[in-house]
Amino acid sequence: LFVFNNGPVGINQISSEVPSEYSLEQNYPNPFNPSTVIRYSLIENRLTNLKIYDLNGREVANLINENQNAGTYEIEWNASRYSSGVYFYELTAGNFRQTKRMLLIK
């Protein structure tokens, strides 16, 4: 269990099998209230960052900022402290960067 600026966060490695490509999946559920799960895959051991941004592009949470081994992971984000609206989550690992949209409805 890790603690960041938005409270406790659990990162679960759900598979250590090396995937064929980097991926960032759509969060589920989406829309969500108050928490959602984000799943992603890494093909190499990399410094990994997963950040949440609001509609104005301001960083509101830094969920992951650590070296992670190749594999598939999921992390739950509890947004109970945030207002309803559109948020973006961005995964960066090495040269891979992908951003997806999610909707918090309270």
Side-chain angles (χ1 to χ4, degrees), residues 25-55:
E25 296 183 24
Q26 186 63 50
N27 66 301
Y28 62 92
N30 189 34
F32 67 99
N33 177 26
S35 62
T36 188
V37 175
I38 299 168
R39 183 179 287 193
Y40 60 94
S41 297
L42 307 173
I43 62 172
E44 305 177 285
N45 300 352
R46 286 282 183 209
L47 174 61
T48 304
N49 289 289
L50 181 61
K51 296 181 179 183
I52 310 289
Y53 298 93
D54 66 14
L55 193 57

PDB file of all heavy atoms in Angstrom, residues 25-55:
ATOM      1  N   GLU A  25      -5.613   0.608 -20.443  1.00  0.00           N
ATOM      2  CA  GLU A  25      -7.008   0.262 -20.726  1.00  0.00           C
ATOM      3  C   GLU A  25      -7.947   1.338 -20.192  1.00  0.00           C
ATOM      4  O   GLU A  25      -7.580   2.139 -19.334  1.00  0.00           O
ATOM      5  CB  GLU A  25      -7.340  -1.092 -20.095  1.00  0.00           C
ATOM      6  CG  GLU A  25      -6.521  -2.217 -20.702  1.00  0.00           C
ATOM      7  CD  GLU A  25      -6.885  -3.578 -20.136  1.00  0.00           C
ATOM      8  OE1 GLU A  25      -8.019  -3.753 -19.640  1.00  0.00           O
ATOM      9  OE2 GLU A  25      -6.026  -4.462 -20.192  1.00  0.00           O
ATOM     10  N   GLN A  26      -9.173   1.316 -20.718  1.00  0.00           N
ATOM     11  CA  GLN A  26     -10.198   2.240 -20.226  1.00  0.00           C
ATOM     12  C   GLN A  26     -10.522   1.863 -18.790  1.00  0.00           C
ATOM     13  O   GLN A  26     -10.643   0.681 -18.463  1.00  0.00           O
ATOM     14  CB  GLN A  26     -11.451   2.152 -21.104  1.00  0.00           C
ATOM     15  CG  GLN A  26     -12.505   3.182 -20.758  1.00  0.00           C
ATOM     16  CD  GLN A  26     -12.028   4.610 -20.974  1.00  0.00           C
ATOM     17  OE1 GLN A  26     -11.498   4.937 -22.024  1.00  0.00           O
ATOM     18  NE2 GLN A  26     -12.211   5.457 -19.969  1.00  0.00           N
ATOM     19  N   ASN A  27     -10.642   2.864 -17.942  1.00  0.00           N
ATOM     20  CA  ASN A  27     -10.988   2.606 -16.540  1.00  0.00           C
ATOM     21  C   ASN A  27     -12.369   1.968 -16.455  1.00  0.00           C
ATOM     22  O   ASN A  27     -13.193   2.097 -17.363  1.00  0.00           O
ATOM     23  CB  ASN A  27     -10.941   3.911 -15.739  1.00  0.00           C
ATOM     24  CG  ASN A  27     -11.996   4.899 -16.178  1.00  0.00           C
ATOM     25  OD1 ASN A  27     -12.030   5.305 -17.331  1.00  0.00           O
ATOM     26  ND2 ASN A  27     -12.869   5.289 -15.266  1.00  0.00           N
ATOM     27  N   TYR A  28     -12.600   1.274 -15.355  1.00  0.00           N
ATOM     28  CA  TYR A  28     -13.925   0.695 -15.134  1.00  0.00           C
ATOM     29  C   TYR A  28     -14.252   0.768 -13.647  1.00  0.00           C
ATOM     30  O   TYR A  28     -13.356   0.618 -12.820  1.00  0.00           O
ATOM     31  CB  TYR A  28     -14.006  -0.746 -15.660  1.00  0.00           C
ATOM     32  CG  TYR A  28     -13.056  -1.697 -14.990  1.00  0.00           C
ATOM     33  CD1 TYR A  28     -13.443  -2.441 -13.865  1.00  0.00           C
ATOM     34  CD2 TYR A  28     -11.750  -1.860 -15.451  1.00  0.00           C
ATOM     35  CE1 TYR A  28     -12.567  -3.309 -13.242  1.00  0.00           C
ATOM     36  CE2 TYR A  28     -10.877  -2.727 -14.837  1.00  0.00           C
ATOM     37  CZ  TYR A  28     -11.293  -3.444 -13.737  1.00  0.00           C
ATOM     38  OH  TYR A  28     -10.406  -4.311 -13.110  1.00  0.00           O
ATOM     39  N   PRO A  29     -15.488   1.020 -13.270  1.00  0.00           N
ATOM     40  CA  PRO A  29     -16.532   1.460 -14.199  1.00  0.00           C
ATOM     41  C   PRO A  29     -16.268   2.880 -14.678  1.00  0.00           C
ATOM     42  O   PRO A  29     -15.488   3.606 -14.078  1.00  0.00           O
ATOM     43  CB  PRO A  29     -17.802   1.405 -13.348  1.00  0.00           C
ATOM     44  CG  PRO A  29     -17.316   1.611 -11.936  1.00  0.00           C
ATOM     45  CD  PRO A  29     -15.946   0.988 -11.878  1.00  0.00           C
ATOM     46  N   ASN A  30     -16.933   3.245 -15.733  1.00  0.00           N
ATOM     47  CA  ASN A  30     -16.832   4.601 -16.283  1.00  0.00           C
ATOM     48  C   ASN A  30     -18.157   4.924 -16.950  1.00  0.00           C
ATOM     49  O   ASN A  30     -18.487   4.260 -17.921  1.00  0.00           O
ATOM     50  CB  ASN A  30     -15.698   4.698 -17.289  1.00  0.00           C
ATOM     51  CG  ASN A  30     -15.430   6.132 -17.725  1.00  0.00           C
ATOM     52  OD1 ASN A  30     -15.569   7.044 -16.940  1.00  0.00           O
ATOM     53  ND2 ASN A  30     -15.078   6.307 -18.980  1.00  0.00           N
ATOM     54  N   PRO A  31     -18.911   5.893 -16.467  1.00  0.00           N
ATOM     55  CA  PRO A  31     -18.673   6.807 -15.356  1.00  0.00           C
ATOM     56  C   PRO A  31     -18.578   6.056 -14.023  1.00  0.00           C
ATOM     57  O   PRO A  31     -19.043   4.930 -13.906  1.00  0.00           O
ATOM     58  CB  PRO A  31     -19.859   7.741 -15.366  1.00  0.00           C
ATOM     59  CG  PRO A  31     -20.683   7.416 -16.559  1.00  0.00           C
ATOM     60  CD  PRO A  31     -20.178   6.155 -17.129  1.00  0.00           C
ATOM     61  N   PHE A  32     -17.996   6.738 -13.015  1.00  0.00           N
ATOM     62  CA  PHE A  32     -17.784   6.107 -11.719  1.00  0.00           C
ATOM     63  C   PHE A  32     -18.133   7.054 -10.578  1.00  0.00           C
ATOM     64  O   PHE A  32     -18.201   8.256 -10.755  1.00  0.00           O
ATOM     65  CB  PHE A  32     -16.339   5.615 -11.585  1.00  0.00           C
ATOM     66  CG  PHE A  32     -15.319   6.725 -11.537  1.00  0.00           C
ATOM     67  CD1 PHE A  32     -14.808   7.161 -10.330  1.00  0.00           C
ATOM     68  CD2 PHE A  32     -14.851   7.309 -12.708  1.00  0.00           C
ATOM     69  CE1 PHE A  32     -13.862   8.172 -10.283  1.00  0.00           C
ATOM     70  CE2 PHE A  32     -13.903   8.314 -12.666  1.00  0.00           C
ATOM     71  CZ  PHE A  32     -13.407   8.750 -11.453  1.00  0.00           C
ATOM     72  N   ASN A  33     -18.358   6.463  -9.395  1.00  0.00           N
ATOM     73  CA  ASN A  33     -18.601   7.213  -8.166  1.00  0.00           C
ATOM     74  C   ASN A  33     -18.425   6.271  -6.989  1.00  0.00           C
ATOM     75  O   ASN A  33     -19.196   5.337  -6.867  1.00  0.00           O
ATOM     76  CB  ASN A  33     -20.001   7.796  -8.160  1.00  0.00           C
ATOM     77  CG  ASN A  33     -20.302   8.524  -6.862  1.00  0.00           C
ATOM     78  OD1 ASN A  33     -19.406   8.998  -6.188  1.00  0.00           O
ATOM     79  ND2 ASN A  33     -21.570   8.576  -6.507  1.00  0.00           N
ATOM     80  N   PRO A  34     -17.511   6.452  -6.084  1.00  0.00           N
ATOM     81  CA  PRO A  34     -16.432   7.428  -6.128  1.00  0.00           C
ATOM     82  C   PRO A  34     -15.112   6.827  -6.594  1.00  0.00           C
ATOM     83  O   PRO A  34     -14.129   7.534  -6.716  1.00  0.00           O
ATOM     84  CB  PRO A  34     -16.309   7.863  -4.663  1.00  0.00           C
ATOM     85  CG  PRO A  34     -16.554   6.589  -3.902  1.00  0.00           C
ATOM     86  CD  PRO A  34     -17.604   5.850  -4.736  1.00  0.00           C
ATOM     87  N   SER A  35     -15.058   5.489  -6.843  1.00  0.00           N
ATOM     88  CA  SER A  35     -13.762   4.918  -7.197  1.00  0.00           C
ATOM     89  C   SER A  35     -13.830   4.157  -8.518  1.00  0.00           C
ATOM     90  O   SER A  35     -14.891   3.723  -8.950  1.00  0.00           O
ATOM     91  CB  SER A  35     -13.240   4.017  -6.082  1.00  0.00           C
ATOM     92  OG  SER A  35     -14.103   2.933  -5.882  1.00  0.00           O
ATOM     93  N   THR A  36     -12.655   4.027  -9.142  1.00  0.00           N
ATOM     94  CA  THR A  36     -12.539   3.356 -10.424  1.00  0.00           C
ATOM     95  C   THR A  36     -11.220   2.601 -10.461  1.00  0.00           C
ATOM     96  O   THR A  36     -10.307   2.881  -9.677  1.00  0.00           O
ATOM     97  CB  THR A  36     -12.644   4.380 -11.582  1.00  0.00           C
ATOM     98  OG1 THR A  36     -12.715   3.672 -12.818  1.00  0.00           O
ATOM     99  CG2 THR A  36     -11.467   5.343 -11.607  1.00  0.00           C
ATOM    100  N   VAL A  37     -11.122   1.635 -11.360  1.00  0.00           N
ATOM    101  CA  VAL A  37      -9.913   0.823 -11.503  1.00  0.00           C
ATOM    102  C   VAL A  37      -9.295   1.101 -12.866  1.00  0.00           C
ATOM    103  O   VAL A  37      -9.995   1.150 -13.882  1.00  0.00           O
ATOM    104  CB  VAL A  37     -10.236  -0.686 -11.366  1.00  0.00           C
ATOM    105  CG1 VAL A  37      -9.009  -1.536 -11.643  1.00  0.00           C
ATOM    106  CG2 VAL A  37     -10.794  -0.977  -9.977  1.00  0.00           C
ATOM    107  N   ILE A  38      -7.974   1.290 -12.879  1.00  0.00           N
ATOM    108  CA  ILE A  38      -7.213   1.526 -14.100  1.00  0.00           C
ATOM    109  C   ILE A  38      -6.240   0.365 -14.267  1.00  0.00           C
ATOM    110  O   ILE A  38      -5.499   0.036 -13.336  1.00  0.00           O
ATOM    111  CB  ILE A  38      -6.441   2.864 -14.024  1.00  0.00           C
ATOM    112  CG1 ILE A  38      -7.423   4.024 -13.848  1.00  0.00           C
ATOM    113  CG2 ILE A  38      -5.558   3.059 -15.252  1.00  0.00           C
ATOM    114  CD1 ILE A  38      -6.769   5.341 -13.466  1.00  0.00           C
ATOM    115  N   ARG A  39      -6.255  -0.257 -15.434  1.00  0.00           N
ATOM    116  CA  ARG A  39      -5.371  -1.392 -15.727  1.00  0.00           C
ATOM    117  C   ARG A  39      -4.400  -0.996 -16.829  1.00  0.00           C
ATOM    118  O   ARG A  39      -4.786  -0.321 -17.778  1.00  0.00           O
ATOM    119  CB  ARG A  39      -6.192  -2.599 -16.162  1.00  0.00           C
ATOM    120  CG  ARG A  39      -5.339  -3.846 -16.406  1.00  0.00           C
ATOM    121  CD  ARG A  39      -6.191  -5.017 -16.803  1.00  0.00           C
ATOM    122  NE  ARG A  39      -6.914  -5.494 -15.626  1.00  0.00           N
ATOM    123  CZ  ARG A  39      -7.545  -6.647 -15.568  1.00  0.00           C
ATOM    124  NH1 ARG A  39      -7.577  -7.443 -16.614  1.00  0.00           N
ATOM    125  NH2 ARG A  39      -8.159  -7.028 -14.474  1.00  0.00           N
ATOM    126  N   TYR A  40      -3.151  -1.446 -16.701  1.00  0.00           N
ATOM    127  CA  TYR A  40      -2.133  -1.133 -17.702  1.00  0.00           C
ATOM    128  C   TYR A  40      -1.116  -2.259 -17.765  1.00  0.00           C
ATOM    129  O   TYR A  40      -0.989  -3.059 -16.830  1.00  0.00           O
ATOM    130  CB  TYR A  40      -1.456   0.211 -17.389  1.00  0.00           C
ATOM    131  CG  TYR A  40      -0.763   0.260 -16.057  1.00  0.00           C
ATOM    132  CD1 TYR A  40       0.596  -0.025 -15.946  1.00  0.00           C
ATOM    133  CD2 TYR A  40      -1.464   0.574 -14.902  1.00  0.00           C
ATOM    134  CE1 TYR A  40       1.229   0.010 -14.715  1.00  0.00           C
ATOM    135  CE2 TYR A  40      -0.839   0.607 -13.676  1.00  0.00           C
ATOM    136  CZ  TYR A  40       0.509   0.326 -13.587  1.00  0.00           C
ATOM    137  OH  TYR A  40       1.131   0.349 -12.364  1.00  0.00           O
ATOM    138  N   SER A  41      -0.394  -2.324 -18.890  1.00  0.00           N
ATOM    139  CA  SER A  41       0.605  -3.364 -19.116  1.00  0.00           C
ATOM    140  C   SER A  41       1.930  -2.747 -19.525  1.00  0.00           C
ATOM    141  O   SER A  41       1.967  -1.803 -20.319  1.00  0.00           O
ATOM    142  CB  SER A  41       0.144  -4.327 -20.217  1.00  0.00           C
ATOM    143  OG  SER A  41      -1.031  -4.992 -19.825  1.00  0.00           O
ATOM    144  N   LEU A  42       3.017  -3.318 -18.995  1.00  0.00           N
ATOM    145  CA  LEU A  42       4.378  -2.885 -19.306  1.00  0.00           C
ATOM    146  C   LEU A  42       5.145  -4.043 -19.914  1.00  0.00           C
ATOM    147  O   LEU A  42       5.078  -5.158 -19.408  1.00  0.00           O
ATOM    148  CB  LEU A  42       5.102  -2.432 -18.029  1.00  0.00           C
ATOM    149  CG  LEU A  42       4.412  -1.385 -17.157  1.00  0.00           C
ATOM    150  CD1 LEU A  42       5.193  -1.187 -15.867  1.00  0.00           C
ATOM    151  CD2 LEU A  42       4.269  -0.084 -17.910  1.00  0.00           C
ATOM    152  N   ILE A  43       5.889  -3.791 -20.985  1.00  0.00           N
ATOM    153  CA  ILE A  43       6.654  -4.855 -21.629  1.00  0.00           C
ATOM    154  C   ILE A  43       8.100  -4.927 -21.129  1.00  0.00           C
ATOM    155  O   ILE A  43       8.805  -5.878 -21.433  1.00  0.00           O
ATOM    156  CB  ILE A  43       6.636  -4.736 -23.170  1.00  0.00           C
ATOM    157  CG1 ILE A  43       7.276  -3.425 -23.629  1.00  0.00           C
ATOM    158  CG2 ILE A  43       5.230  -4.875 -23.702  1.00  0.00           C
ATOM    159  CD1 ILE A  43       7.472  -3.334 -25.143  1.00  0.00           C
ATOM    160  N   GLU A  44       8.529  -3.912 -20.370  1.00  0.00           N
ATOM    161  CA  GLU A  44       9.886  -3.871 -19.827  1.00  0.00           C
ATOM    162  C   GLU A  44       9.843  -3.276 -18.431  1.00  0.00           C
ATOM    163  O   GLU A  44       8.891  -2.598 -18.077  1.00  0.00           O
ATOM    164  CB  GLU A  44      10.793  -2.973 -20.670  1.00  0.00           C
ATOM    165  CG  GLU A  44      10.872  -3.285 -22.136  1.00  0.00           C
ATOM    166  CD  GLU A  44      11.743  -2.263 -22.856  1.00  0.00           C
ATOM    167  OE1 GLU A  44      11.275  -1.125 -23.062  1.00  0.00           O
ATOM    168  OE2 GLU A  44      12.875  -2.622 -23.184  1.00  0.00           O
ATOM    169  N   ASN A  45      10.913  -3.504 -17.675  1.00  0.00           N
ATOM    170  CA  ASN A  45      11.060  -2.828 -16.392  1.00  0.00           C
ATOM    171  C   ASN A  45      11.323  -1.359 -16.680  1.00  0.00           C
ATOM    172  O   ASN A  45      12.260  -1.028 -17.399  1.00  0.00           O
ATOM    173  CB  ASN A  45      12.221  -3.422 -15.601  1.00  0.00           C
ATOM    174  CG  ASN A  45      12.038  -4.897 -15.318  1.00  0.00           C
ATOM    175  OD1 ASN A  45      10.987  -5.457 -15.572  1.00  0.00           O
ATOM    176  ND2 ASN A  45      13.068  -5.513 -14.803  1.00  0.00           N
ATOM    177  N   ARG A  46      10.482  -0.487 -16.153  1.00  0.00           N
ATOM    178  CA  ARG A  46      10.570   0.939 -16.473  1.00  0.00           C
ATOM    179  C   ARG A  46      10.146   1.788 -15.281  1.00  0.00           C
ATOM    180  O   ARG A  46       9.324   1.367 -14.463  1.00  0.00           O
ATOM    181  CB  ARG A  46       9.626   1.298 -17.629  1.00  0.00           C
ATOM    182  CG  ARG A  46      10.062   0.843 -18.964  1.00  0.00           C
ATOM    183  CD  ARG A  46      11.133   1.775 -19.458  1.00  0.00           C
ATOM    184  NE  ARG A  46      11.525   1.395 -20.793  1.00  0.00           N
ATOM    185  CZ  ARG A  46      12.728   1.609 -21.275  1.00  0.00           C
ATOM    186  NH1 ARG A  46      13.632   2.201 -20.550  1.00  0.00           N
ATOM    187  NH2 ARG A  46      13.028   1.263 -22.488  1.00  0.00           N
ATOM    188  N   LEU A  47      10.662   3.035 -15.271  1.00  0.00           N
ATOM    189  CA  LEU A  47      10.106   4.045 -14.388  1.00  0.00           C
ATOM    190  C   LEU A  47       8.709   4.342 -14.921  1.00  0.00           C
ATOM    191  O   LEU A  47       8.549   4.677 -16.097  1.00  0.00           O
ATOM    192  CB  LEU A  47      10.962   5.312 -14.387  1.00  0.00           C
ATOM    193  CG  LEU A  47      10.388   6.485 -13.600  1.00  0.00           C
ATOM    194  CD1 LEU A  47      10.220   6.136 -12.114  1.00  0.00           C
ATOM    195  CD2 LEU A  47      11.275   7.709 -13.746  1.00  0.00           C
ATOM    196  N   THR A  48       7.714   4.184 -14.087  1.00  0.00           N
ATOM    197  CA  THR A  48       6.317   4.294 -14.507  1.00  0.00           C
ATOM    198  C   THR A  48       5.649   5.429 -13.749  1.00  0.00           C
ATOM    199  O   THR A  48       5.805   5.550 -12.537  1.00  0.00           O
ATOM    200  CB  THR A  48       5.580   2.969 -14.225  1.00  0.00           C
ATOM    201  OG1 THR A  48       6.286   1.912 -14.881  1.00  0.00           O
ATOM    202  CG2 THR A  48       4.155   3.013 -14.709  1.00  0.00           C
ATOM    203  N   ASN A  49       4.906   6.256 -14.488  1.00  0.00           N
ATOM    204  CA  ASN A  49       4.141   7.348 -13.903  1.00  0.00           C
ATOM    205  C   ASN A  49       2.691   7.231 -14.352  1.00  0.00           C
ATOM    206  O   ASN A  49       2.431   7.020 -15.534  1.00  0.00           O
ATOM    207  CB  ASN A  49       4.675   8.711 -14.362  1.00  0.00           C
ATOM    208  CG  ASN A  49       6.012   9.019 -13.746  1.00  0.00           C
ATOM    209  OD1 ASN A  49       6.095   9.284 -12.564  1.00  0.00           O
ATOM    210  ND2 ASN A  49       7.054   8.969 -14.545  1.00  0.00           N
ATOM    211  N   LEU A  50       1.783   7.375 -13.416  1.00  0.00           N
ATOM    212  CA  LEU A  50       0.359   7.416 -13.728  1.00  0.00           C
ATOM    213  C   LEU A  50      -0.213   8.619 -12.996  1.00  0.00           C
ATOM    214  O   LEU A  50      -0.204   8.669 -11.756  1.00  0.00           O
ATOM    215  CB  LEU A  50      -0.353   6.137 -13.296  1.00  0.00           C
ATOM    216  CG  LEU A  50      -1.850   6.075 -13.602  1.00  0.00           C
ATOM    217  CD1 LEU A  50      -2.118   6.172 -15.105  1.00  0.00           C
ATOM    218  CD2 LEU A  50      -2.458   4.811 -13.040  1.00  0.00           C
ATOM    219  N   LYS A  51      -0.666   9.603 -13.757  1.00  0.00           N
ATOM    220  CA  LYS A  51      -1.161  10.846 -13.190  1.00  0.00           C
ATOM    221  C   LYS A  51      -2.592  11.101 -13.631  1.00  0.00           C
ATOM    222  O   LYS A  51      -2.998  10.686 -14.711  1.00  0.00           O
ATOM    223  CB  LYS A  51      -0.284  12.021 -13.623  1.00  0.00           C
ATOM    224  CG  LYS A  51       1.137  11.906 -13.095  1.00  0.00           C
ATOM    225  CD  LYS A  51       1.986  13.072 -13.515  1.00  0.00           C
ATOM    226  CE  LYS A  51       3.390  12.916 -12.935  1.00  0.00           C
ATOM    227  NZ  LYS A  51       4.244  14.060 -13.245  1.00  0.00           N
ATOM    228  N   ILE A  52      -3.319  11.813 -12.780  1.00  0.00           N
ATOM    229  CA  ILE A  52      -4.699  12.197 -13.056  1.00  0.00           C
ATOM    230  C   ILE A  52      -4.717  13.715 -13.228  1.00  0.00           C
ATOM    231  O   ILE A  52      -4.137  14.443 -12.415  1.00  0.00           O
ATOM    232  CB  ILE A  52      -5.642  11.816 -11.902  1.00  0.00           C
ATOM    233  CG1 ILE A  52      -5.473  10.362 -11.476  1.00  0.00           C
ATOM    234  CG2 ILE A  52      -7.089  12.164 -12.258  1.00  0.00           C
ATOM    235  CD1 ILE A  52      -5.965   9.338 -12.440  1.00  0.00           C
ATOM    236  N   TYR A  53      -5.411  14.169 -14.274  1.00  0.00           N
ATOM    237  CA  TYR A  53      -5.534  15.596 -14.558  1.00  0.00           C
ATOM    238  C   TYR A  53      -7.005  15.978 -14.623  1.00  0.00           C
ATOM    239  O   TYR A  53      -7.841  15.180 -15.049  1.00  0.00           O
ATOM    240  CB  TYR A  53      -4.891  15.942 -15.909  1.00  0.00           C
ATOM    241  CG  TYR A  53      -3.413  15.660 -15.956  1.00  0.00           C
ATOM    242  CD1 TYR A  53      -2.933  14.441 -16.419  1.00  0.00           C
ATOM    243  CD2 TYR A  53      -2.495  16.614 -15.541  1.00  0.00           C
ATOM    244  CE1 TYR A  53      -1.566  14.179 -16.465  1.00  0.00           C
ATOM    245  CE2 TYR A  53      -1.129  16.364 -15.589  1.00  0.00           C
ATOM    246  CZ  TYR A  53      -0.676  15.145 -16.049  1.00  0.00           C
ATOM    247  OH  TYR A  53       0.673  14.892 -16.087  1.00  0.00           O
ATOM    248  N   ASP A  54      -7.302  17.227 -14.252  1.00  0.00           N
ATOM    249  CA  ASP A  54      -8.662  17.722 -14.416  1.00  0.00           C
ATOM    250  C   ASP A  54      -8.851  18.255 -15.837  1.00  0.00           C
ATOM    251  O   ASP A  54      -7.923  18.219 -16.654  1.00  0.00           O
ATOM    252  CB  ASP A  54      -9.020  18.770 -13.347  1.00  0.00           C
ATOM    253  CG  ASP A  54      -8.225  20.063 -13.455  1.00  0.00           C
ATOM    254  OD1 ASP A  54      -7.567  20.317 -14.488  1.00  0.00           O
ATOM    255  OD2 ASP A  54      -8.268  20.838 -12.479  1.00  0.00           O
ATOM    256  N   LEU A  55     -10.032  18.739 -16.112  1.00  0.00           N
ATOM    257  CA  LEU A  55     -10.371  19.209 -17.454  1.00  0.00           C
ATOM    258  C   LEU A  55      -9.514  20.391 -17.893  1.00  0.00           C
ATOM    259  O   LEU A  55      -9.303  20.600 -19.087  1.00  0.00           O
ATOM    260  CB  LEU A  55     -11.862  19.582 -17.502  1.00  0.00           C
ATOM    261  CG  LEU A  55     -12.486  19.803 -18.869  1.00  0.00           C
ATOM    262  CD1 LEU A  55     -12.308  18.575 -19.758  1.00  0.00           C
ATOM    263  CD2 LEU A  55     -13.955  20.127 -18.723  1.00  0.00           C
TER     264      LEU A  55
END
